[in-house]
Amino acid sequence: DEGSRGDEGSRQHWKEEICQILGEIQAPLSPLLLRLCHWMLPKLLSHLFLSVQLQRGQLEMVLRAARTPNVPLVFLCTHQSQLDGPLLSFLLLSQGIGAPRVTVGAWISPCLRSLLQCLGGIFLPSGMVQPWSERDEGLPGAVLDAYVQEVLRSCQPLVIFLEEPPGSLQLSDPARHWLLRVLRALRDGAVPDVHVVPVGIAYDVAP
């Protein structure tokens, strides 16, 4: 009857809208692009810098934390350049921790956005790219909540940059949105706990 057809049409409309919002947040990882990027990145770094240094003791602590069952890793990072995301992704993948989901600022070209999504970059939905507020975020906020909960439940590493490059020294609006989602996931019991890993990135000369 007309009522059931109306309900089906409404469900289809909401499903399409949710899929559109998810498409704005992320895309499926591309193993080919990941391998290509992680083959090229060391060559690029060797041309830009004399060396890349890691604090070995801290890396070992992260590796131990990564072995804790059912507890995801959330990396809270300073942000010095657009190279930070690919660099951290390369380091985590090369250490066997896995390809992370890396938050990316909104103000980039559509082509670069598509590329970064295939490499694990995640973005705020277009309806939430505005100055921070406590108002109701509607469907985009609900989809983002569910997405972050699923990332944490599946124990994918999550990288959140706390500031806009080059190191503004204040918490950015996108970071507030992502951190709120992690806190809500803990509050709602989506995950029992998270390992929070502070990450400092510094360059002699920022690329």
Side-chain angles (χ1 to χ4, degrees):
D1 61 5
E2 290 185 8
S4 61
R5 285 198 299 271
D7 290 343
E8 181 65 29
S10 178
R11 283 195 294 269
Q12 183 65 25
H13 168 76
W14 284 112
K15 181 179 179 180
E16 290 174 358
E17 193 162 345
I18 290 169
C19 289
Q20 180 181 345
I21 294 170
L22 280 172
E24 292 179 348
I25 297 172
Q26 64 128 45
L29 291 172
S30 169
L32 177 61
L33 278 176
L34 280 169
R35 287 195 295 269
L36 180 61
C37 179
H38 293 159
W39 174 77
M40 292 177 60
L41 191 59
K43 301 179 187 303
L44 173 64
L45 293 174
S46 67
H47 282 84
L48 289 174
F49 309 110
L50 293 176
S51 65
V52 177
Q53 298 179 359
L54 291 173
Q55 294 193 357
R56 197 71 201 174
Q58 293 183 354
L59 179 59
E60 290 171 357
M61 291 175 60
V62 172
L63 292 173
R64 285 199 299 271
R67 291 192 287 269
T68 306
N70 302 319
V71 179
L73 293 173
V74 177
F75 295 86
L76 303 183
C77 312
T78 60
H79 205 1
Q80 300 298 319
S81 88
Q82 298 296 348
L83 188 61
D84 298 346
L87 178 60
L88 276 173
S89 178
F90 167 73
L91 291 174
L92 296 177
L93 197 55
S94 66
Q95 296 299 316
I97 295 176
R101 289 294 183 175
V102 182
T103 62
V104 183
W107 311 117
I108 62 173
S109 70
C111 289
L112 183 56
R113 180 183 179 120
S114 296
L115 174 63
L116 291 176
Q117 281 185 316
C118 291
L119 295 172
I122 53 176
F123 297 78
L124 292 176
S126 57
M128 298 176 63
V129 182
Q130 67 252 341
W132 170 260
S133 72
E134 295 288 349
R135 67 176 179 78
D136 181 24
E137 296 164 338
L139 184 60
V143 174
L144 189 64
D145 280 331
Y147 173 77
V148 171
Q149 288 184 12
E150 184 57 33
V151 168
L152 296 176
R153 271 197 294 261
S154 62
C155 286
Q156 295 179 71
L158 177 62
V159 174
I160 300 175
F161 288 109
L162 300 178
E163 56 204 11
E164 296 293 339
S168 64
L169 300 181
Q170 63 181 8
L171 190 64
S172 69
D173 285 342
R176 293 172 188 266
H177 284 292
W178 292 111
L179 289 170
L180 178 61
R181 268 68 213 178
V182 174
L183 291 174
R184 284 179 178 171
L186 285 167
R187 181 198 66 190
D188 297 342
V191 287
D193 199 1
V194 298
H195 285 308
V196 175
V197 182
V199 179
I201 301 174
Y203 303 92
D204 290 335
V205 178

